[in-house]
Amino acid sequence: MKALINLVEKVKPNFEKGGRLEKFHRTFEAFETFLYVKGDVTKSGAHIRDAMDMKRTMVHVIIALIPPLLFGIWNVGFQHYRATGEEVAFIDQVLFGLIHVLPIIIVSYASGLAVEFIFASARDHEVNEGFLVSGMLIPLVIPVTTPLWMVALATIFAVIIGKEVFGGTGMNILNPALLARAFLFFAYPSYLSGEVWIETTLQEGQQLVDGFSGATALAVQAAGEGNMPSDFDMFFGFIPGSIGETSTLAILLGAIVLIATGIGSLRIMASVFVGGIFMGLVFNLFAVNDFMALPAYKHLIMGGFAFGAVYMATDPVSASQTGAGKYIYGFLIGVITVLIRVVNPAYPEGMMLAILFMNVFAPLIDHYIVQANVKKRIKRMEKVRLQTQA
Amino acid sequence: MSENNSAPKETLFSPRNKKLLSEPIGTSNPITVQVLGICSVLAVTVQLRASLVLAIAVVAVMGSANVIISLLRHGIPPRIRIIVQLTVIASLVILVDQVLKAFVYDVSRQLSVFVGLIITNCIIMGRLEAFALQNKVWPSFLDGVGNAAGYGSILILLAAIREFFGSGTLMGYQMIPNFVYDIGYVDNGFMILPPMALITVGIIIWIHRHRDRSLVDVS
């Protein structure tokens, strides 16, 4: 620890004004504050002092992402060996998963951070920490079969168009990780339509088991054919899907971390689930086709519903800010997700589009909530005034 | 009308007239600076060939419409000037449409309703209102051609970008060699969709303003 501080102090003069590497002082600052909380504090004005600065907040979200990540890594291996029909040890499954998931994570971080650092230097502002979370979310919401160059392209697109053009971290109106996924979804639909989402590059001597399809539960449901996984498998996540989205259980573990640390909004998470159930039940009333008749609770454990509700919808920047607004925002995400899934056969998954759609509406919801509150208070004041006059 | 008859006779390509032609292509570009005529830009720029034809059509319509309105400028009663302008543009568009149908039928099919929609292109009406009604024939012609060229240049640039990245072709000819596809490259389907056209226009505007700081709106 001490040695690290000494090292930082030793190289610091190079980056200060007049130093050899002055141009990179933003980069240096980013790494310095990543290692240690800065010594200098704000001295004037009223401030809330809190150890949870942006970096610590982001680190907590990363911690909350660990359960789905670890499960996802194992599941990639598990699905692969299930497809080839081979019986292998647990450790082999994890290794296979690591080999395929780690490159995606590295590419996502490398390309995203490169853009962040370039913009920070060009605009001379601090390197923001927002990408620490986006860089982890992007690999978790895409299938493991996505080529690496696509991951890099989508990440660069999302960071520039989703965030930097609006002014950087905290200014974005859309969730950058979902924007990356939306980019991939529309640019390379054949890779993201949920048809084959298991890594099936075969080595010599391997072959796929008979009847293997590799389609996700939602794709199976939309097509109306194929093997539907059991509820048990879908809840625990032994199903094909995007890397981090399959296990509802692991996601709920992460949700506990987010709620306990006060980062994720329980209101949003709960109302997304309620909205999904509600719309599912409405469709059950009509039930003119198989998808409409699907039990409402199944929507919550299929596809990316739980992942979106816990990690994406609760993004504090792009979500609704007001208390009552959060209920409306979350509820509508749930409703629209199920609506897209059931009604639009072209989009098997509705979570991504529903959240992006509601991201756009979040400021409008907030506006009306605030205006309603202002009106209520004016009315109350009027009443008090009339009483005092009487 | 505000023209000054006592002004000394100008040469055909005096600095002022040159400016009429060059300004709309750069610093007062109808699309990237005035942000007009966006709908057709988003809709027809999937392929370079169609955009090229539309750009030429708009240059023809706008140049002639400006000339005609400028010739008629003393005879048009102000109260019905919009109707007169529309009639002139509509007649010209019908002519262009017939020519396209006769000589490049497939492109005409591809452009479909957007040839007819040249009538409602706000750039044309805007120039007639703002320029041709008050100026002599030759400057009006230059202004019309300049603005149409400014519109067309962005149209063609955008179409080239979208066709290259979206389908790997230019003017219908394959541009990205097969070995690139063999190593895993895939055409970007998002480029073909209108939202990406809007984003690309945004990026062009961004670059334009980055290079020309006087365009940055600081209000």
Side-chain angles (χ1 to χ4, degrees):
Chain A
M1 278 292 133
K2 198 78 185 164
L4 205 56
I5 297 181
N6 286 340
L7 180 73
V8 170
E9 290 302 325
K10 209 174 119 190
V11 295
K12 199 171 186 172
N14 285 329
F15 294 97
E16 279 166 354
K17 225 174 164 88
R20 263 184 309 146
L21 301 165
E22 193 195 332
K23 230 192 291 177
F24 299 103
H25 75 280
R26 293 296 179 192
T27 315
F28 173 76
E29 230 172 64
F31 284 110
E32 189 195 6
T33 52
F34 187 73
L35 294 170
Y36 298 104
V37 176
K38 267 195 150 182
D40 47 337
V41 293
T42 313
K43 292 191 180 68
S44 63
H47 286 272
I48 297 173
R49 292 182 55 152
D50 193 352
M52 286 291 274
D53 60 1
M54 191 148 59
K55 273 196 172 105
R56 303 324 124 178
T57 309
M58 296 299 174
V59 168
H60 279 92
V61 182
I62 297 281
I63 292 170
L65 279 168
I66 288 175
L69 173 69
L70 291 182
F71 185 87
I73 289 174
W74 170 77
N75 194 39
V76 166
F78 172 71
Q79 294 295 337
H80 171 77
Y81 287 114
R82 195 165 74 164
T84 58
E86 286 170 291
E87 295 278 339
V88 294
F90 174 76
I91 189 75
D92 287 328
Q93 293 171 334
V94 172
L95 274 180
F96 182 90
L98 271 179
I99 290 168
H100 286 86
V101 175
L102 272 185
I104 298 182
I105 296 176
I106 292 168
V107 166
S108 152
Y109 269 117
S111 50
L113 286 176
V115 176
E116 286 264 350
F117 279 108
I118 290 168
F119 270 88
S121 303
R123 296 185 170 173
D124 197 33
H125 65 61
E126 285 169 44
V127 175
N128 283 312
E129 297 78 10
F131 193 73
L132 285 182
V133 169
S134 305
M136 185 57 93
L137 283 172
I138 292 170
L140 290 182
V141 294
I142 58 176
V144 70
T145 47
T146 318
L148 292 178
W149 68 269
M150 286 186 193
V151 179
L153 192 66
T155 309
I156 292 167
F157 175 85
V159 174
I160 295 179
I161 301 298
K163 217 162 72 176
E164 292 301 338
V165 295
F166 293 108
T169 305
M171 306 289 191
N172 45 311
I173 52 170
L174 298 172
N175 185 323
L178 272 185
L179 200 64
R181 192 185 196 279
F183 178 83
L184 287 174
F185 181 82
F186 288 108
Y188 310 106
S190 57
Y191 287 81
L192 280 212
S193 58
E195 296 301 327
V196 183
W197 276 12
I198 300 173
E199 177 57 65
T200 51
T201 325
L202 296 178
Q203 269 143 33
E204 229 180 329
Q206 285 183 322
Q207 60 173 2
L208 296 179
V209 291
D210 290 342
F212 165 79
S213 81
T216 61
L218 279 168
V220 169
Q221 183 66 43
E225 55 182 32
N227 291 330
M228 195 65 187
S230 67
D231 289 353
F232 176 86
D233 281 357
M234 287 200 283
F235 181 73
F236 286 99
F238 309 131
I239 48 171
S242 297
I243 294 167
E245 73 172 11
T246 57
S247 171
T248 312
L249 181 68
I251 292 163
L252 289 180
L253 285 178
I256 292 171
V257 176
L258 284 182
I259 294 167
T261 51
I263 295 167
S265 158
L266 179 59
R267 290 179 186 196
I268 295 178
M269 289 184 208
S271 48
V272 174
F273 283 114
V274 170
I277 291 263
F278 169 79
M279 201 60 204
L281 288 175
V282 169
F283 277 126
N284 285 349
L285 282 181
F286 301 102
V288 291
N289 61 27
D290 270 0
F291 214 147
M292 282 194 180
L294 187 76
Y297 73 90
K298 279 203 181 189
H299 278 294
L300 308 191
I301 50 177
M302 276 161 77
F305 196 100
F307 193 89
V310 171
Y311 297 105
M312 296 298 196
T314 56
D315 171 11
V317 178
S318 53
S320 209
Q321 307 291 325
T322 51
K326 283 177 178 163
Y327 288 120
I328 302 171
Y329 167 84
F331 184 77
L332 285 178
I333 288 179
V335 167
I336 295 170
T337 303
V338 176
L339 195 71
I340 296 173
R341 281 183 179 180
V342 175
V343 178
N344 190 338
Y347 300 147
E349 176 58 295
M351 200 64 198
M352 168 187 83
L353 297 169
I355 296 176
L356 287 175
F357 189 69
M358 288 314 295
N359 277 171
V360 177
F361 276 91
L364 187 72
I365 295 172
D366 283 341
H367 173 78
Y368 280 109
I369 297 289
V370 170
Q371 290 306 314
N373 196 35
V374 168
K375 268 189 202 133
K376 208 169 77 188
R377 295 186 68 159
I378 290 176
K379 230 182 207 165
R380 199 165 61 202
M381 281 302 294
E382 285 286 304
K383 216 165 150 190
V384 171
R385 199 169 56 86
L386 287 176
Q387 275 169 357
T388 47
Q389 275 174 356
Chain B
M1 298 296 145
S2 63
E3 81 202 75
N4 191 350
N5 285 327
S6 63
K9 200 172 168 2
E10 278 186 283
T11 53
L12 278 188
F13 286 101
S14 65
R16 200 178 79 97
N17 283 349
K18 264 192 201 155
K19 227 174 160 191
L20 285 178
L21 199 59
S22 66
E23 224 166 39
I25 298 174
T27 51
S28 67
N29 190 293
I31 292 175
T32 63
V33 179
Q34 301 172 26
V35 197
L36 296 172
I38 288 292
C39 8
S40 55
V41 167
L42 302 192
V44 300
T45 51
V46 175
Q47 277 168 342
L48 187 54
R49 210 166 123 81
S51 317
L52 208 60
V53 171
L54 189 73
I56 294 167
V58 170
V59 169
V61 169
M62 218 161 150
S64 359
N66 265 16
V67 167
I68 294 171
I69 292 295
S70 178
L71 281 171
L72 295 174
R73 69 184 183 279
H74 297 302
I76 302 174
R79 285 169 68 193
I80 60 159
R81 66 183 195 286
I82 302 279
I83 299 171
V84 175
Q85 288 164 14
L86 267 182
T87 319
V88 169
I89 303 171
S91 321
L92 289 167
V93 168
I94 291 168
L95 272 178
V96 166
D97 193 29
Q98 294 304 317
V99 171
L100 290 186
K101 274 188 184 144
F103 295 101
V104 276
Y105 185 65
D106 56 324
V107 178
S108 152
R109 282 279 304 272
Q110 211 179 344
L111 288 170
S112 67
V113 70
F114 284 95
V115 177
L117 283 180
I118 295 176
I119 300 169
T120 58
N121 191 326
C122 26
I123 303 169
I124 302 181
M125 281 282 273
R127 290 332 289 174
L128 292 182
E129 273 285 291
F131 201 89
L133 273 177
Q134 283 116 45
N135 287 283
K136 288 183 186 165
V137 174
W138 176 244
S140 296
F141 175 74
L142 290 180
D143 182 77
V145 171
N147 275 284
Y151 167 85
S153 60
I154 298 295
L155 206 68
I156 289 163
L157 176 66
L158 194 60
I161 295 173
R162 286 182 73 192
E163 191 179 343
F164 184 77
F165 289 108
S167 335
T169 55
L170 280 180
M171 302 289 284
Y173 298 106
Q174 189 175 341
M175 279 291 146
I176 295 175
N178 276 327
F179 75 86
V180 180
Y181 288 108
D182 290 340
I183 59 171
Y185 178 78
V186 184
D187 287 329
N188 190 327
F190 199 17
M191 270 291 174
I192 299 175
L193 302 174
M196 197 60 193
L198 186 67
I199 293 169
T200 316
V201 171
I203 293 171
I204 293 172
I205 292 176
W206 183 6
I207 295 168
H208 192 186
R209 298 200 173 186
H210 186 74
R211 294 171 65 103
D212 187 349
R213 286 280 163 187
S214 65
L215 295 175
V216 178
D217 183 14
V218 285
S219 61

